[in-house]
Amino acid sequence: MAQVNPSSQDLPRPSIAIIGCGSLGTAILQGLLDAKEPKVQPTKIRATVTSESSANTLRKAFENNAIEVEVSQGQNVAAAKESDAIILACPPNVMSEVLSEAGIREALQHKLLISVLAGVDRASLETAIYGDKTTSQNAADRCWVVRAMPNLAASMGASTTAIEVSDPMLLADKAKLVDSIWEQLGGIVHVPASLMNASTVLCGSTPAFIALFMDGLIDGAVAAGVPRAKADAMAAQVLASTAALLKQGQRPSTLRESVCAMPGCTIQGNISLEEGGVRGASAKAMKLAIDAASQLG
């Protein structure tokens, strides 16, 4: 459970709404509550869902926190009206319905609307609310729309989040709040709008690709006699070890070459992977997923 530090007066202290608090929204909520070194200290978090059973599940999961969590079925407009920053986490195919609710435009005025909807560009979000795209000429009475794409590791403060560079540019306090929210949930990178679909796949989708690959490695270890629980534990630590090396600045190709001594077992395994077309299949998977992301909106 996160403990609010009353001496941290310099941290942003917004109230936050998560509209459409499904799997990703719940991961974001968990990460906001559990941060060991907070970058932002929400005064209250409001989460909305579509069914009462989902609301009851979330209420039970997030009761007795230092930060109050209010969960409601529907009530999107009320949650937005009573919050400083709104994270839109509903399914992309209901975005227009959510953002065209009566009163939502007024509830969002001058506030941050941070979308984590894969493939839905900023113009589509703004058009759903206002009927047209926001420009420097009409921005004065609108909300500030920002796109971000984290992954489920946000629940542990270990996400990678791509944040779209805003145009018009965010006010300094708004930009600080956006960065603070996502830095609390892991690392961030700012990218132009043209790279957001690719970043969505790289940040949001690749954990599933990597998990599929790791599943095969674990099966191979089990086939050689390693108990599955031990293979799972070792594989998880290997991922952490590899990530640590890459974060120090090593490129994947350099890391691969440094491990592949000749002769040795690693180079033999790598030859088999190359024969199986792993790199080509990985690149094709990324391209297909990026193309699919561009069609989601």
Side-chain angles (χ1 to χ4, degrees):
M1 182 188 305
Q3 297 297 320
V4 175
N5 183 357
S7 66
S8 301
Q9 298 298 325
D10 56 333
L11 295 182
R13 295 180 58 80
S15 57
I16 296 175
I18 302 175
I19 293 179
C21 195
S23 297
L24 183 55
T26 301
I28 293 168
L29 174 54
Q30 189 77 63
L32 290 172
L33 294 173
D34 288 350
K36 294 180 175 61
E37 297 182 6
K39 305 294 184 181
V40 61
Q41 292 183 336
T43 56
K44 183 174 181 177
I45 301 176
R46 297 172 176 88
T48 72
V49 293
T50 56
S51 72
E52 189 58 30
S53 62
S54 295
N56 288 331
T57 298
L58 281 181
R59 290 184 189 114
K60 185 175 180 180
F62 294 107
E63 60 186 359
N64 301 321
N65 288 283
I67 298 169
E68 181 184 357
V69 177
E70 178 184 294
V71 182
S72 63
Q73 178 188 6
Q75 304 298 317
N76 297 328
V77 173
K81 185 176 181 179
E82 296 167 6
S83 301
D84 302 310
I86 296 88
I87 298 174
L88 185 65
C90 63
N93 63 343
V94 302
M95 175 273 295
S96 295
E97 178 183 344
V98 171
L99 293 183
S100 62
E101 288 186 32
I104 195 72
R105 180 186 301 187
E106 294 75 17
L108 292 172
Q109 188 176 30
H110 300 153
K111 297 179 181 179
L112 274 172
L113 176 65
I114 306 173
S115 169
V116 297
L117 309 189
V120 181
D121 63 25
R122 190 154 31 89
S124 297
L125 294 160
E126 292 163 347
T127 300
I129 304 169
Y130 301 107
D132 58 11
K133 182 180 177 180
T134 297
T135 65
S136 56
Q137 286 73 41
N138 63 17
D141 293 321
R142 296 189 171 192
C143 64
W144 298 89
V145 178
V146 178
R147 291 183 68 196
M149 181 46 60
N151 58 50
L152 291 177
S155 64
M156 300 174 289
S159 177
T160 298
T161 301
I163 302 173
E164 183 180 303
V165 176
S166 294
D167 181 19
M169 185 179 298
L170 292 176
L171 298 176
D173 62 327
K174 296 285 194 291
K176 178 182 178 181
L177 179 54
V178 171
D179 285 358
S180 296
I181 289 172
W182 300 110
E183 284 173 346
Q184 180 146 320
L185 304 179
I188 65 171
V189 58
H190 296 93
V191 298
S194 61
L195 298 181
M196 198 60 191
N197 285 331
S199 300
T200 291
V201 174
L202 194 56
C203 292
S205 302
T206 52
F209 303 165
I210 294 168
L212 179 62
F213 178 71
M214 295 303 293
D215 214 20
L217 298 184
I218 290 167
D219 278 350
V222 171
V226 180
R228 186 169 294 276
K230 291 185 181 296
D232 286 344
M234 284 188 279
Q237 185 56 48
V238 164
L239 282 178
S241 302
T242 305
L245 291 167
L246 294 175
K247 287 175 72 173
Q248 287 183 339
Q250 287 200 52
R251 295 203 68 252
S253 59
T254 304
L255 175 58
R256 174 179 57 81
E257 290 169 2
S258 67
V259 180
C260 285
M262 188 62 162
C265 57
T266 308
I267 191 67
Q268 299 301 324
N270 251 39
I271 289 171
S272 177
L273 290 171
E274 294 284 9
E275 288 176 345
V278 167
R279 277 196 288 181
S282 299
K284 183 177 180 180
M286 285 294 297
K287 181 62 169 61
L288 289 173
I290 292 167
D291 290 344
S294 68
Q295 304 300 318
L296 291 176

